[in-house]
Amino acid sequence: MAKSAKAITIATLGSHCALQVLKGAKDEGFKTLLVCEKRRVGLYKRFGFIDSMIVVDRFNEVLEENCRKKLASSNAVLIPHGTLISQMTSDQIEKIDTPVFGNKWILRWEADREMKERLMSEAGLRIPLAVKSKNEINGLCIVKLHGAAGGRGYYLAWDRQSFEEGARRLVEQKAIRGEEDLYIQEFVRGVPVYLQYFYSPITDTLELMGIDRRYESDVDGIGRIPAKQQLGAGVEPSYNVVGNLPLVLRESLLEEVYKIGEDFVAAAKRLVKPGMPGPFCLEGVYDREGRFTTFEFSARIVAGTNLYIDGSPYSGLLYDEPMSMGRRIAREVKIAKRKGRLDEVVT
Ligand code: AMP
């Protein structure tokens, strides 16, 4: 187990932000291990900071004896990310017996829309109205699938008919079983912004590590089609994330950014012990009055942090060295281990 005196290995699944996480771990002096699907071995072999691999057919093999033994014998701490959430159920994640960095119990609150809303409300965040049924749609709404699908399948609806049409399309594509798999939310007009935080339970401080926005296909490409052609072609935007773009906020907005982050950490401590140690992200929209409405959170590292392997305009204010989120995680493991407080940063 990672709690022994033996050197810790930082491990993660080969996808999402694995390169950043393992590069950061190596920079902090850890051994690194990648749980890698066969088809991706060629990609990850290119990077010298990956010390070893456990090759699997599917990621949920981390629950199987063979993989668990290898992780245990390397004294691994597993860094969870979006791929873990999207490819494993909450029940499976909770069964992982390798120490997971952060709070693995809060990942259920990320995956379940109702629990997610409850935690955001407990934090006192401004959130979009949840529309309980297609009959209550009154104004522009965004229709979402459950779980971390990276915006895939999301569509806009403004009445019952447009909701049903969208649902039918998704059923035909086999993306959902039926309308019951959909979640309807008020569409907040403004610009989307993703706030990347790190909370250290060791020092009880919240750090703003970076900010990004997503580059989504094809909603971010639609502006390149003139209105006349858009109307003719019956364009339907989708919100499939392709990458991320860096962003800095007006400095006057930062005070609230810290406040909502701290409110979220406090709410997490109340609702889901041990709270929100490590990286998380509040995801929302700034409207024309500069008000932030949070539509989602991620209770673990987000892929938008991949922008800042050499540090961000915000981490640069806190650290005199390049500090990616991946490296910050490894630094926390190192400090916690040294202080004999590893229990507070893994579950
Ligand atoms: P998500 O995967 O939930 O982070 O959302 C994907 C994208 O959908 C975001 O980047 C936004 O462009 C958009 N989005 C999600 N929820 C809302 C909302 N309530 N209002 C407006 N846009 C939204």
Side-chain angles (χ1 to χ4, degrees), residues 142 144 154 185-188 194 214 216 283 295-296:
I142 182 159
K144 302 182 172 188
Y154 289 11
Q185 198 175 63
E186 168 198 9
F187 184 87
V188 183
Y194 289 68
R214 289 179 169 182
E216 294 161 337
E283 312 171 1
F295 56 69
E296 295 271 346

Side-chain angles (χ1 to χ4, degrees), residues 5-62:
K6 193 182 154 196
I8 290 172
T9 297
I10 298 288
T12 199
L13 307 185
S15 182
H16 193 267
C17 57
L19 292 172
Q20 182 208 154
V21 164
L22 297 189
K23 169 77 168 62
K26 184 51 76 181
D27 289 343
E28 288 297 299
F30 286 98
K31 281 221 164 70
T32 61
L33 187 159
L34 189 76
V35 179
C36 190
E37 289 176 323
K38 267 193 196 106
R39 64 195 175 106
R40 297 235 175 112
V41 169
L43 167 67
Y44 287 104
K45 276 244 156 92
R46 294 171 188 271
F47 303 97
F49 52 82
I50 301 175
D51 295 322
S52 57
M53 287 192 196
I54 300 176
V55 180
V56 294
D57 288 314
R58 294 202 342 268
F59 284 131
N60 57 18
E61 284 176 41
V62 292

Side-chain angles (χ1 to χ4, degrees), residues 129-131 133-134 137 141-143 163 182-186:
L129 215 65
V131 181
S133 108
K134 60 183 177 183
I137 298 175
C141 290
I142 182 159
V143 184
F163 170 83
L182 296 171
Y183 175 84
I184 316 170
Q185 198 175 63
E186 168 198 9

Side-chain angles (χ1 to χ4, degrees), residues 316-328:
L317 300 170
L318 302 172
Y319 294 93
D320 291 324
E321 59 196 318
M323 187 57 70
S324 69
M325 190 68 92
R327 186 169 183 182
R328 182 65 190 85

Side-chain angles (χ1 to χ4, degrees), residues 122-193:
E122 172 76 16
L125 305 179
R126 183 184 293 109
I127 58 175
L129 215 65
V131 181
K132 297 283 174 238
S133 108
K134 60 183 177 183
N135 301 315
E136 289 171 32
I137 298 175
N138 176 21
L140 192 60
C141 290
I142 182 159
V143 184
K144 302 182 172 188
L145 281 61
H146 287 275
R152 191 168 304 129
Y154 289 11
Y155 65 94
L156 299 181
W158 48 94
D159 56 15
R160 186 183 157 133
Q161 192 190 343
S162 52
F163 170 83
E164 287 173 346
E165 275 169 20
R168 238 187 336 267
R169 264 197 313 275
L170 288 174
V171 171
E172 276 163 21
Q173 293 162 11
K174 298 196 168 38
I176 56 167
R177 284 162 303 169
E179 290 180 5
E180 68 280 7
D181 288 341
L182 296 171
Y183 175 84
I184 316 170
Q185 198 175 63
E186 168 198 9
F187 184 87
V188 183
R189 248 173 265 188
V191 288
V193 173

